[in-house]
Amino acid sequence: MVKYEKLLADRAELFRASEVRELLKLTEGKKIISLAGGLPDPRVFPKEELAEIARDVILNAGDKALQYSPTAGVTEFRKTLIEFMRSKGVKVNDDDSILVTSGSQQALDLLSRTFIQKDDEIIVELPTYLAALNAFRLSKPGITGIPIDEYGMKTDILEEEIKRLIWLGRKIKFIYTIPVAHNPAGVTMSLERKKHLLEIASKYDLVIIEDDPYSFFVYDENVDVTPLKTLDKEGRVIYMSTFSKILAPGLRIGWIIGNKYVIDVIERAKQTADLHTATLTQFIAMEAIRKGVVNKTIEKAKKLYKVKRDAMLEALDEYMVEGAWWPKPVGGLFVMVFLPSYDIDTKKLLPEALEAGVAYVPGSSFFANGAGWNTMRLNFSFPKPEEIREGIRILSEIIKKHIPKEKKRIMPEHMFYS
Ligand SMILES: *Cc1c(COP(=O)(O)O)cnc(C)c1O
């Protein structure tokens, strides 16, 4: 047998699968209510429409749609995407450029490879999107986490941390944020905080990466979803989004918009990764925008997910232990629950929950500083409302059993964030 371990590059060490994912894999095929995933509800996928578009594209535009295409993306599709973005309130400047990526995940990987080298510093939210953390970690940066509250990143703490990092001589490469319907925390950044964040970025001359899969389909009225990109006057926001939540994740279509200079560099990084994103799915997505299928899907997703989100919030209100706290998500796919005691480790609770028939993701993996062991991420987009209700009921029972009798380590609410 070949000893492959000895042949692998050092960085292969960083490709390790998480324990939690391994644990959840064991539940596949079993009768378990899963609040663990992050899958859209397949009932949202516009199957008929996409089948028709796909047939049409292959038969009538197949010479192009089945051919190699530019690394930056199919030219007409990029134009259509820019119009689509503008229709959603995302400002695209004349000196901006757009790059189509194989899902947002590739954008995260390319940003990691383009910006970060060992011992650089990046700033993320506490908690943050796990797949982003993993992509960034491959480039071995120092990672500074900024706590959040229900209004998003705590920008006063951000400034303190930036000062500290500068004092330490650290080179800060970017601030990564998910302003609307945060994954995993479910919070949305207030307009005031967004302005403060941009002010700070300007003061210390820093770049912001805005990850925005969710702002096009928030469930509540009167929520400010103005993108940082739109508020930015200095070309320091690199904006990224995806069709994964508003059309179908299987198409693997995402995009980055930013200053032309940096997008050109990222484009060259993409060329070595995969030459270009699948031409066929770009053509299909383009027609889906043009024929109004994307906007129709957005409306459908909004309705369906609002019902499910409300089912989860109601069940939490009814069953969850006293003192637990969960920000109400205005959109997205998740609710994060902060349990009232630091004596409860949600990772240790998971096997018991699985045994009882419900899965969730322990929150600590989302915290760059390893904190958050008293948190759990719950998905509401995939399970049925009845399953959500039952899942929360079971979960609450288990948590209740583990709440320590002596209440001395119960934390005041403001401590949840730090
Ligand atoms: C779901 C999600 C994405 C989507 O990733 P894809 O690779 O485009 O499927 C990106 N960022 C966040 C924060 C998400 O929650």
Side-chain angles (χ1 to χ4, degrees), residues 172 208 253 348:
I172 305 169
I208 298 169
I253 304 272
K348 289 197 186 134

Side-chain angles (χ1 to χ4, degrees), residues 384-402:
K384 299 187 183 78
E386 316 84 80
E387 292 172 331
I388 292 173
R389 218 181 142 68
E390 181 62 3
I392 298 289
R393 191 188 64 76
I394 297 170
L395 206 50
S396 306
E397 287 298 314
I398 292 171
I399 294 165
K400 243 171 234 159
K401 274 195 273 176
H402 290 267

Side-chain angles (χ1 to χ4, degrees), residues 102-106 108 129 176 178 183 211 213-214 240 242-245 249 252-254 333-334:
S102 301
S104 281
Q105 193 55 36
Q106 184 178 46
L108 293 167
Y129 181 44
Y176 169 76
I178 308 148
N183 177 2
D211 189 355
Y214 300 119
M240 47 186 282
T242 172
F243 277 141
S244 288
K245 314 290 157 54
R252 304 313 297 136
I253 304 272
L333 315 179
F334 308 103

Side-chain angles (χ1 to χ4, degrees), residues 65-115:
L66 297 169
Q67 189 57 280
Y68 284 113
S69 56
T71 301
V74 170
T75 308
E76 301 155 72
F77 179 48
R78 291 169 68 221
K79 284 185 191 149
T80 308
L81 260 183
I82 288 175
E83 281 168 34
F84 178 69
M85 283 290 90
R86 286 183 170 145
S87 79
K88 301 291 178 202
V90 180
K91 191 173 81 179
V92 183
N93 303 313
D94 293 339
D95 57 354
D96 278 346
S97 184
I98 184 167
L99 173 75
V100 179
T101 55
S102 301
S104 281
Q105 193 55 36
Q106 184 178 46
L108 293 167
D109 177 63
L110 296 176
L111 287 164
S112 174
R113 291 201 279 142
T114 304
F115 277 95

